[in-house]
Amino acid sequence: MKNLAFTLLSFLVLIGCTPNGKESKNEQSQKVNDFAIIIHGGAGTILKKNMTDEKEAAYKAKLEEAIKVGHTILKNGGTSQEAVIKTIQVMEESPLFNAGKGAVFTNAGTNELDASFMDGKTLNAGAVAGVKDVKSPIELAVKVMTDSEHVMLSGEGASTFAKEKGLEIVDPSYFYTERRFKSLQRIIDREKTQLDHDDKTAVFYDSDIKNAKFGTVGCVALDKNGNIAAGTSTGGMTNKRWGRIGDAPIIGSGTYANNNTCGVSSTGWGEYFIRSQVAYDISAQMEYQQKSLKEATTDVIQNKLTKLGGTGGVVALDKNGNMSFEFNTAGMYRASMNDKGDLVIKIYND
């Protein structure tokens, strides 16, 4: 009887099936892109009706600029690490996104920046949290990975490390933008109104308030050598208190990369992404359940995260160049480019 079972299992393997009768994931062994890059600029209640033509054009232009920087690096034989850093830096330097120059404000009226990076070949990683004076948090996260024995540094210690390594330090006022500061004031005013009037508070729409928990930038790249890298950078949650840290700097939650499976960068309500270990879960499903990238991202975001009550999304790219945008919000700023130069830029849930 044991010999019969063994023979049957061997036969199923030979014909490309699994014991449950499903087809094996042959597509996972087929290269679709020699190199590729995918990015996001945050997810949330992003609705066409609340977006001006000028603002929409500005977001699309910046997403295109950012992804083309990384794509050019990959096309010319550069590393996925370099592509991720340079792509994210374009978004960090734009006031459009909640990262770097466009970072949101804490309850204390300061900007506290988080970032993380992971290398899919070595599984080495670096991250920073609560940084206030380093111009490029993603560059600092990579520096933690390459020039220290640690994975995560925070606050003043991270800034001291950045200075010792010669990274660009800026006055905290560099991160100030009127738009983000006004968003903080509106949220604080709303909280006061709720305290004064309890459940009789007037209902109104404010995209910045509705997206107070969202906003981040991220990138995943696959280079010609087959190496995957992923990075994420954020200003965190508007009006955050007590040194709150979200998922962006946490390896396995906001960022994950493994050459055997995929790379992932997350954006959304960080507390849920931390509890779900969203980025790692996608990789784990591919590794242990032999799921495709699309199957894994769909299950984690649309099933597991949604059931828990979490909102947000991911961009992901597997070892063969397959790419996935997956989110359960009204929109996500996103773009991708493959080795053929095909460019996709989207904002809404379409």
Side-chain angles (χ1 to χ4, degrees):
M1 198 68 182
K2 289 182 179 179
N3 289 335
L4 177 61
F6 178 79
T7 302
L8 178 60
L9 180 60
S10 300
F11 175 71
L12 289 170
V13 171
L14 285 172
I15 65 173
C17 295
T18 57
N20 61 10
K22 294 182 179 180
E23 291 183 1
S24 63
K25 307 302 178 187
N26 290 326
E27 69 273 15
Q28 292 187 42
S29 63
Q30 298 174 352
K31 200 82 169 178
V32 296
N33 288 300
D34 288 330
F35 66 92
I37 184 169
I38 189 168
I39 67 174
H40 69 77
T45 311
I46 306 166
L47 302 172
K48 176 72 173 178
K49 66 180 182 180
N50 297 312
M51 183 82 71
T52 65
D53 291 341
E54 292 77 13
K55 191 173 182 180
E56 180 177 312
Y59 272 107
K60 287 184 174 179
K62 189 57 66 173
L63 288 169
E64 181 174 352
E65 177 189 346
I67 200 165
K68 283 186 173 179
V69 166
H71 186 269
T72 298
I73 291 170
L74 297 172
K75 183 179 180 180
N76 293 335
T79 66
S80 54
Q81 176 175 311
E82 183 184 5
V84 168
I85 295 171
K86 297 300 184 182
T87 298
I88 289 179
Q89 284 180 326
V90 172
M91 294 187 283
E92 284 182 335
E93 293 172 6
S94 169
L96 291 173
F97 304 102
N98 177 17
K101 178 64 178 175
V104 299
F105 284 83
T106 69
N107 180 261
T110 60
N111 307 103
E112 296 180 0
L113 313 173
D114 308 329
S116 62
F117 177 89
M118 187 166 184
D119 176 76
K121 181 180 180 180
T122 63
L123 301 187
N124 201 359
V128 293
V131 176
K132 298 180 179 179
D133 59 358
V134 179
K135 183 178 181 181
S136 176
I138 190 63
E139 183 180 17
L140 178 54
V142 174
K143 211 67 172 173
V144 171
M145 180 187 79
T146 59
D147 288 32
S148 83
E149 60 185 6
H150 308 299
V151 171
M152 182 183 287
L153 300 180
S154 67
E156 293 183 6
S159 292
T160 299
F161 177 78
K163 294 169 187 174
E164 291 178 359
K165 297 302 176 181
L167 272 62
E168 186 171 358
I169 304 299
V170 295
D171 187 90
S173 62
Y174 165 82
F175 302 107
Y176 179 93
T177 59
E178 191 69 14
R179 172 194 169 198
R180 299 300 192 187
F181 188 72
K182 286 183 176 178
S183 296
L184 173 66
Q185 299 309 309
R186 288 197 299 273
I187 292 174
I188 291 175
D189 289 344
R190 186 189 185 202
E191 287 182 343
K192 291 178 181 176
T193 303
Q194 286 177 325
L195 288 173
D196 290 340
H197 302 287
D198 196 23
D199 59 357
K200 297 179 181 179
T201 303
V203 176
F204 65 96
Y205 182 86
D206 186 310
S207 61
D208 288 309
I209 289 178
K210 291 183 79 69
N211 293 324
K213 301 178 181 67
F214 304 98
T216 242
V217 303
C219 176
V220 186
L222 170 70
D223 63 31
K224 290 182 178 180
N225 292 319
N227 294 326
I228 299 173
T232 310
S233 182
T234 188
M237 178 189 292
T238 305
N239 198 35
K240 62 185 178 183
R241 297 175 173 88
W242 312 301
R244 178 263 185 187
I245 297 171
D247 65 303
I250 298 179
I251 301 303
S253 296
T255 301
Y256 193 76
N258 187 328
N259 279 3
N260 292 323
T261 53
C262 66
V264 181
S265 176
S266 307
T267 174
W269 193 337
E271 280 70 15
Y272 288 91
F273 279 72
I274 294 170
R275 290 160 59 190
S276 300
Q277 282 291 282
V278 162
Y280 174 72
D281 193 8
I282 291 168
S283 173
Q285 288 195 25
M286 293 180 68
E287 182 173 3
Y288 302 124
Q289 297 180 337
Q290 288 75 55
K291 288 187 177 182
S292 67
L293 180 71
K294 181 60 178 175
E295 288 172 332
T297 55
T298 299
D299 180 56
V300 171
I301 299 301
Q302 306 299 348
N303 182 24
K304 299 175 76 172
L305 182 68
T306 301
K307 285 182 178 178
L308 194 63
T311 45
V314 297
V315 294
L317 192 164
D318 74 12
K319 63 182 181 180
N320 293 313
N322 295 294
M323 293 180 278
S324 176
F325 301 116
E326 198 67 50
F327 54 99
N328 62 7
T329 52
M332 180 169 72
Y333 300 107
R334 59 202 189 275
S336 66
M337 285 189 79
N338 60 18
D339 59 1
K340 303 162 193 67
D342 298 327
L343 172 64
V344 174
I345 301 176
K346 293 186 176 183
I347 295 177
Y348 312 108
N349 190 358
D350 50 16

